[in-house]
Amino acid sequence: MLTLLFGLIITITYAQENHIIATEKIWRVNFLNPGVELELPTGIHSTFSAELGVGYSGGYPDLTFGGSGFIYIISPFVDVQEKWFYNLNKRNNKNSTTENNSGNFVSLRLITRGNSIAENVNRTSDFDFAIGPTWGIQRKYGKNFHLLFDVGPQYYFDTKGNGNIWPIMLQLNLGFDLKKK
């Protein structure tokens, strides 16, 4: 009986010490800049996300001209991001949710925009790109509400060789998590 009790205690202790918080596969629908996103685990604490949508953005100084006032470009976009979550275990230890990849992260982000649907500026090219590092937070609220905020510098460029550095890129995404597998 003592051996059985000792074995049970060791098993429970071992299971608790090896409880690993890992990232998950998530499908999302975002509605601030409408799009569909898939986030896939690439490691225990990392994910790759890809979003396809149509959204609003401003103009880059070296890639737009002729606009005045509130500058806007509404166009299709592809947004890809590799995220490295650094506080999943800490959140779990504080009984904060890590579900649906809720945590803080650093990332490398690439976004490209296509032909404009509507705009109040002229663009140097129908396609432009921006790449850069970010720091961000991602949270799940309630059953499936999703919030993402990230910020960082980026290098932007077009297909004609124009480009420059934009010191602060901000992203805010609100949406719903659809499916986990």
Side-chain angles (χ1 to χ4, degrees), residues 13 19 26 28-29 31 52 55 63 65 69 80-82 90 100 115 119-122 125 142 167 170 178 180:
T13 303
H19 181 70
I26 312 284
R28 290 192 181 95
V29 174
F31 54 83
L52 178 63
L63 305 184
F65 59 93
V80 295
Q81 194 168 20
E82 178 69 25
K90 182 178 178 182
N100 296 1
N115 292 333
E119 64 187 6
N120 68 346
V121 294
N122 296 311
S125 173
L170 297 171
L178 297 178
K180 297 188 308 184

Side-chain angles (χ1 to χ4, degrees), residues 59-134:
Y60 295 114
D62 298 294
L63 305 184
T64 58
F65 59 93
S68 63
F70 182 74
I71 295 188
Y72 66 89
I73 298 171
I74 298 173
S75 64
F77 67 87
V78 174
D79 189 350
V80 295
Q81 194 168 20
E82 178 69 25
K83 300 174 191 168
W84 294 275
F85 293 90
Y86 60 85
N87 73 332
L88 295 179
N89 290 328
K90 182 178 178 182
R91 287 182 59 78
N92 185 59
N93 291 339
K94 290 182 172 185
N95 293 324
S96 296
T97 187
T98 59
E99 194 174 358
N100 296 1
N101 305 327
S102 289
N104 298 2
F105 63 87
V106 292
S107 77
L108 181 60
R109 181 177 182 218
L110 170 69
I111 187 166
T112 182
R113 299 182 296 188
N115 292 333
S116 298
I117 296 169
E119 64 187 6
N120 68 346
V121 294
N122 296 311
R123 294 169 66 191
T124 57
S125 173
D126 288 336
F127 292 90
D128 57 44
F129 308 86
I131 187 168
T134 69

